Structures are given as C-alpha cells and as structure tokens.
Amino acid sequence: MRFTFWGTRGSIPVPGPGTLRYGGNSTCCELDLDGQRVIIDAGSGIRPLGQALGPQPGELILLLTHLHWDHVMGFPFFAPAYSHQAVIRVGGWPRGLPGLEQMFHSVHVQGYFPIDFGYFPIDFKDLHADILRDPSLDPPRFAIGRHQITTIPLNHPQGAIGYRLEGPGGALVFITDNELDPLAPAPPELVEFCRGADILIHDAQFLPSEMALRRGWGHSDWASALRLAQAAGVGRLLFTHHDPGRDDQALERVVEQARAQAGGLPVEAAAEGQVLEL
Ligand SMILES: [Zn+2]
Ligand SMILES: [Zn+2]
C-alpha cells in the first residue's frame, strides 16, 4: 500500500510562502493498492494529481468522505475527468456522484422557465471520462483487490465517513472532518475502528485552547486526536485538515507540543507530497 498526500489543508486552500512545508491544497490523497489507483477526496490537491497522472490515466477509483466544498472543489479541474481514456468509479459517501454532478452547470425547466444551476460553466455530461457510481464501493465494507476497506460514520455537520484500509502490508486509518469531545474519552466504537492500525491520519484542525469557541464545527483539537491514537494503540499518528490560519511555523509548534505528550508515539503533521508505505 502506497499513500500520497496531495492536499492536507482544511476548509480552504491557502497557497503562499507560509505554507510551503505542509502545503496549501485542500484534502486529496492517492493510494496505490496493488496497482489499482484510488483517490480519497477531490479537494484542490486533486488538480496537481490529475496533471501527474498524464494523458492515459486509466481506471481510477474516487472515494469521497463527504461533500463539503473543501473536499470536492478540485473535481472540475481534475484533468482525467476530461479524458476519453479515463474511467472514474465513484464510491464511499453514498450521495457522492450526485453531489459532484450538482457542481456543474445544468438547466432545468420549471413551468415555462429554464432555471440555471451549478457553480461551474461546463455541463457534467460534457466531461469525456466514463464517470459512474460503483455500488461495489458502498459503505460499510468492501474490497479492492487484496485490501479490505471499512468505513465509520463521523461526528461532523451533515455527516462524513472515515476509512480503514487493511492489506498485506498492514492497516491505515484515514479520518478527516471529525469532532472529538475534548472533555470526554474518544467514543469506544471509534477506538475499536482505529485499534492497532499501523498509521492513523486524523483531523487536528484546532488547538485545545480554540475548542471552546468552535464546538459543533465538526473538527478536533490535536490533543484529542492524540488521546484517540493512544487509546487505540496505533503505531504512528499524522495530523491533517490543518487550519488555514496555521502557517508552517505554527504547525511545527503543534507537533513539538504533541510529541512532548505522546509518550514515544511517533507524531507528525501530514505534508503535501509526503508518501507513506505499508
Ligand atoms: Zn473539510
Ligand atoms: Zn466537512
């Protein structure tokens, strides 16, 4: 299993000199599962991924966690969607494909009046790729080659799902957009979901001191993510969905503080371009 971060930022892309180390693109990850390319989320990071895939992108699987803007905004700029050579099988979040379609221009007639919808000038039907919903990639459990994938509902406004990917090399859990209660232990079903994973990637958008004013926004503070990792006995923890207001230096300070409390558990902040091998 090879996992690459193409976007680690939460909420909105923040390019610029302050985000060169950890990256400014919003959520997108690429997995190579025994040669099958799988993409999780279509934030702005999916645009450079599309460039890297080149003119023969082949068959791709796109798994969505949910439909918030920062997780789909890159899809209209994903070059393979315009390629006759591409097949994009969409799975994961149950309303994923209709959600992507709604971003594109369409005209509906209501009574006598044509009404324009969408947030992008191209019609979805004008995308050349074969883009289809694949029911074999529905939650809560499915397989891609030798890899077993399970999902869990997350604590997030309008919902979201987390993924656990398990294969011959080990287990990786990816949980973005999830609010843990800083005043309570992590939910037992979530601890079980993460149990013994070699790698846990978890939302750590906020500082513990920020949570009082951000309850109900659907994101965690890093100390709660660390407590979940410790309770689940994972091998390594990476923070993701970095706050757009937190520059590289501020993220380095978060990692330093987290390491001081981690009791030897390896902790880092996910960086755009970083590759994990299992
Ligand atoms: Zn998000
Ligand atoms: Zn969200």
Side-chain angles (χ1 to χ4, degrees):
M1 185 189 310
R2 186 183 157 90
F3 183 105
T4 307
F5 289 101
W6 289 88
T8 60
R9 194 60 56 171
S11 307
I12 189 168
V14 280
T19 58
L20 291 176
R21 174 166 180 190
Y22 293 105
N25 277 307
S26 71
T27 303
C28 177
C29 315
E30 175 195 12
L31 283 130
D32 184 337
L33 302 182
D34 293 332
Q36 169 65 59
R37 187 166 274 112
V38 179
I39 300 164
I40 302 181
D41 280 350
S44 69
I46 203 172
R47 196 197 75 89
L49 168 58
Q51 307 299 118
L53 293 177
Q56 304 280 343
E59 184 182 294
L60 308 170
I61 290 175
L62 173 58
L63 301 176
L64 295 174
T65 61
H66 66 315
L67 287 168
H68 281 160
W69 188 235
D70 51 320
H71 299 260
V72 296
M73 66 192 324
F75 189 74
F77 304 92
F78 183 45
Y82 297 82
S83 165
H84 288 285
Q85 316 298 329
V87 176
I88 304 175
R89 294 161 55 199
V90 182
W93 184 246
R95 299 179 298 282
L97 184 56
L100 293 178
E101 287 176 3
Q102 279 174 13
M103 298 163 68
F104 291 80
H105 174 245
S106 62
V107 176
H108 301 270
V109 176
Q110 293 191 353
Y112 294 108
F113 303 106
I115 298 181
D116 254 279
F117 290 92
Y119 311 95
F120 193 70
I122 309 290
D123 283 19
F124 188 82
K125 59 178 164 41
D126 292 334
L127 300 177
H128 299 308
D130 190 5
I131 305 172
L132 50 116
R133 190 182 101 76
D134 186 341
S136 77
L137 303 172
D138 278 349
R141 189 179 305 274
F142 54 92
I144 299 175
R146 295 183 297 167
H147 294 82
Q148 297 298 319
I149 292 138
T150 47
T151 67
I152 188 168
L154 301 177
N155 179 27
H156 194 62
Q158 297 170 278
I161 51 174
Y163 291 94
R164 181 182 176 112
L165 302 106
E166 217 148 357
L172 179 149
V173 175
F174 180 76
I175 296 178
T176 185
D177 293 57
N178 183 47
E179 182 169 344
L180 296 167
D181 184 344
L183 304 176
E189 63 277 13
L190 193 65
V191 174
E192 281 317 304
F193 187 79
C194 300
R195 177 74 67 199
D198 299 274
I199 297 174
L200 170 63
I201 302 160
H202 197 282
D203 181 341
Q205 178 155 356
F206 298 133
L207 307 179
S209 60
E210 292 170 332
M211 280 309 284
L213 290 174
R214 291 171 173 77
R215 299 301 293 271
W217 289 19
H219 300 288
S220 296
D221 68 281
W222 62 260
S224 298
L226 175 58
R227 282 204 310 277
L228 167 64
Q230 290 170 324
V234 306
R236 178 179 176 189
L237 171 64
L238 289 97
F239 298 142
T240 193
H241 211 274
H242 308 315
D243 193 89
R246 199 124 27 240
D247 65 10
D248 289 335
Q249 281 187 341
L251 270 174
E252 280 161 14
R253 282 196 297 276
V254 164
V255 171
E256 271 171 33
Q257 289 175 328
R259 283 178 180 159
Q261 293 185 22
L265 171 68
V267 179
E268 59 205 295
E272 199 171 307
Q274 185 176 6
V275 177
L276 310 171
E277 302 265 8
L278 266 183

